[in-house]
Amino acid sequence: MILQSKSAVVTGSTSGIGLAIARAFAAEGANIMINGFGKPEDIETARAGIEAEFGVRCLHSPADMTRGEEIAAMIATAEQAFGAVDVLVNNAGIQFVSPIEDFPVEKWDQIIAINLTAAFHAIRAVTPGMKARGWGRIISTASAHSLVASPFKSAYVAAKHGVVGLTKTAALELAPHGVTVNCISPGYVWTPLVENQIPATMASRGLTREQVINDVLLAAQPTKQFVTPEEVAAIAVFLCSPAAKQMTGANLSVDGGWTAA
Ligand code: NAD
């Protein structure tokens, strides 16, 4: 088990990709702080399930990723509870689909805050401890939209391109300290985030639900299959393994061939 006696914070892990990463890390022996919103009973089921299934400790932080001080407090709480934060996954993210001229300014600000600035706050908070211990893994869930654009997703595409720049910069700063910093760029993964953008894409492009799934989403992926959360989580686990120790500043695509085109 590659994360035995290590601890991880995974933001946005009450659902989707983040929850799959949290569970995969727990399966490798890590204590986990999950984070995110949802119904209290669903969050408790996920948290208690991780503890029961994998025999690790699992805490939930309700920190709001739009608020820097809550992010810093979440990292401090995890350090206090577990003794260290060895692995940070910046995964929380939201989407909003609209032409630029109609894009609500507050939605732009919220997406940049959650999908980009939160990663800065969290990296800033974990760095002193990782440097002191001479080991750390920082992973961000970027997106195929960190490499290519799609119309009507200006804030998301801008934030995800920004995550790549932040990743490269942090990788250079932390390379001498045993800390690697990478991002994973999935194509379309079937999670609530994708499900929820279907109505707006139907409206902005004048398409049916089936047309959005087949002609917009899967049209981008030559494999014609959605990526699974577990496939993304497996790459995160690999990045924590000894084999990945010289990988830093990388952006790993898992997108069914989307960005090869
Ligand atoms: P999801 O909607 O299933 O999960 C998002 C998580 O973020 C949830 O736990 C939610 O509670 C949390 N969250 C949202 N706002 C938050 C806030 N202000 N503070 C704290 N937590 C907050 O989505 P997902 O598809 O699993 O997405 C996870 C990440 O993967 C995102 O960064 C997303 O951009 C990225 N991604 C998703 C896809 C996809 O197709 N699903 C593709 C590429 C990248």
Side-chain angles (χ1 to χ4, degrees), residues 49-68:
I50 287 173
E51 287 197 334
E53 204 170 327
F54 305 110
V56 297
R57 288 181 65 200
C58 182
L59 302 174
H60 170 252
S61 163
D64 182 342
M65 293 299 109
T66 63
R67 304 181 69 89

Side-chain angles (χ1 to χ4, degrees), residues 12-18 35-38 63-66 91-94 114-115 141-144 156 160 186-194:
S13 51
T14 52
S15 166
I17 295 168
N35 156 258
F37 304 148
D64 182 342
M65 293 299 109
T66 63
N91 173 80
I94 60 165
I114 296 171
N115 296 20
T141 311
S143 166
Y156 188 88
K160 295 299 187 181
Y188 285 106
V189 187
W190 191 256
T191 68
L193 182 141
V194 167

